[in-house]
Amino acid sequence: MWWFQGGLLLTAIYTAVSLVALASVPLMYRLMGYADIDDVARLKQQEQEGHQQLIDRLATIRKELSNLKLDKAVHQTDVLSKIINDYHAVVATRFLGKKHSPLTYLGAARTVQRTAMQNLTDMVAIGHSMKAIEGNKLADGQIDSDAIQQRQDKQANLYQEQSNRLDNLLEENRKLFNALMETAVEVANIKSFNEFERLDTLSRLVSLAEIAKKTEKIHLPS
C-alpha cells in the first residue's frame, strides 16, 4: 500500500489473492500426489530402519541364548527372524507405494513381533539367573549341614520357578508366532486391501497387540 499507493481496494484485493495462493499450497500438495509420495517414502524409511534394528537385536539375543544353551529359545529366535524377514518382504512388495495400505495390520504385526523379541530378551535374563543358581549349588559342594540343605532347597525352588517362567514365555511366543504366520498367509491370499478388516486372524492379531501394549505400560518404570 505504501510502495504502490494503490489505495485500500487494491490492497484488499492483493491480500485476498495472497491468502488464496497461500491456502492453495497444501491443497495442491495433496491433489497433485506429493503427499502420497512423501508418505510412501516415510513408511519405507521407517520400515527399513525398524526391520534392521529388529534383525540386529535378534542376532545379539541368539548369541546370548546359544551361550546359555537354551536350545528351544535359540530355535525361536530363528523362527522370529524368518517371520520378520517375510513380513519385511510383504511390506516391500504389497504395501509400499499403495495409497490405502492397511496400517492396522502393519502396526499390529510390528507390535507383536517386538513383544516376542522382548520375551526372548527376558529368557536371556532367566537363563543367566538359572546359571547363577546352578553355580551356587556347585559351590556348596558336599558339605553336610542343615543350613546348607535349607539353602539348596530354596535354590531348587527358585530354579524351578525360573524354569516355569521360561516355559511360559516359550509358550506365549508360540501363540504369537501362530498369529503372525496365520495372518501373513491370509494377507498373501487377499485380492484387495478392503478385505483386511474382515480377516478373523487380523482381529486376533490386533487383540494380541493391544494386550502387548498394556503389558509394556505395566512394566514401564515409574
Side-chain angles (χ1 to χ4, degrees):
M1 182 176 180
W2 172 80
W3 183 265
F4 293 103
Q5 299 295 316
L8 292 176
L9 179 60
L10 290 178
T11 302
I13 294 174
Y14 174 79
T15 301
V17 171
S18 299
L19 291 174
V20 171
L22 182 62
S24 69
V25 172
L27 181 62
M28 295 304 294
Y29 174 71
R30 292 195 171 278
L31 290 178
M32 297 182 70
Y34 292 112
D36 292 334
I37 294 173
D38 288 346
D39 287 343
V40 168
R42 185 162 47 251
L43 178 60
K44 183 177 181 179
Q45 182 179 2
Q46 290 175 350
E47 166 57 25
Q48 182 59 41
E49 292 175 354
H51 172 259
Q52 195 58 51
Q53 288 173 0
L54 290 177
I55 291 299
D56 292 344
R57 179 59 183 150
L58 270 178
T60 301
I61 294 172
R62 189 188 191 284
K63 183 177 180 180
E64 293 176 338
L65 291 171
S66 180
N67 291 337
L68 292 167
K69 294 181 172 54
L70 299 176
D71 296 336
K72 292 181 180 179
V74 170
H75 174 68
Q76 284 199 347
T77 61
D78 294 335
V79 173
L80 183 56
S81 294
K82 184 178 185 304
I83 289 174
I84 290 174
N85 284 327
D86 290 344
Y87 169 87
H88 181 64
V90 169
V91 171
T93 56
R94 294 214 65 182
F95 301 147
L96 292 183
K98 307 297 190 299
K99 292 182 179 180
H100 304 292
S101 296
L103 298 180
T104 301
Y105 165 70
L106 300 180
R110 268 289 183 247
T111 299
V112 173
Q113 290 169 10
R114 291 193 177 96
T115 300
M117 189 173 69
Q118 182 58 51
N119 287 342
L120 291 170
T121 301
D122 292 343
M123 291 179 204
V124 172
I126 292 172
H128 281 298
S129 68
M130 294 172 70
K131 192 172 183 180
I133 293 171
E134 288 180 335
N136 285 334
K137 287 182 180 179
L138 295 174
D140 289 338
Q142 300 298 322
I143 301 175
D144 188 9
S145 166
D146 290 341
I148 293 296
Q149 185 61 47
Q150 289 177 1
R151 189 170 73 177
Q152 288 183 340
D153 290 343
K154 183 177 181 179
Q155 289 174 345
N157 290 333
L158 290 174
Y159 189 90
Q160 186 60 47
E161 288 176 2
Q162 292 297 79
S163 179
N164 291 339
R165 283 188 61 202
L166 183 65
D167 290 339
N168 290 337
L169 289 174
L170 288 169
E171 180 58 28
E172 182 180 346
N173 268 3
R174 292 187 190 102
K175 294 178 181 178
L176 297 178
F177 293 166
N178 286 337
L180 287 168
M181 288 186 287
E182 289 173 4
T183 309
V185 170
E186 292 202 18
V187 166
N189 292 333
I190 66 170
K191 296 180 180 180
S192 69
F193 291 150
N194 292 332
E195 298 179 25
F196 271 96
E197 301 303 327
R198 296 196 295 271
L199 295 182
D200 292 335
T201 52
L202 176 60
S203 299
R204 186 154 64 96
L205 189 68
V206 172
S207 297
L208 287 171
E210 290 175 350
I211 293 172
K213 288 180 180 179
K214 292 178 181 178
T215 303
E216 288 175 2
K217 290 179 180 179
I218 292 174
H219 291 291
L220 283 176
S222 57

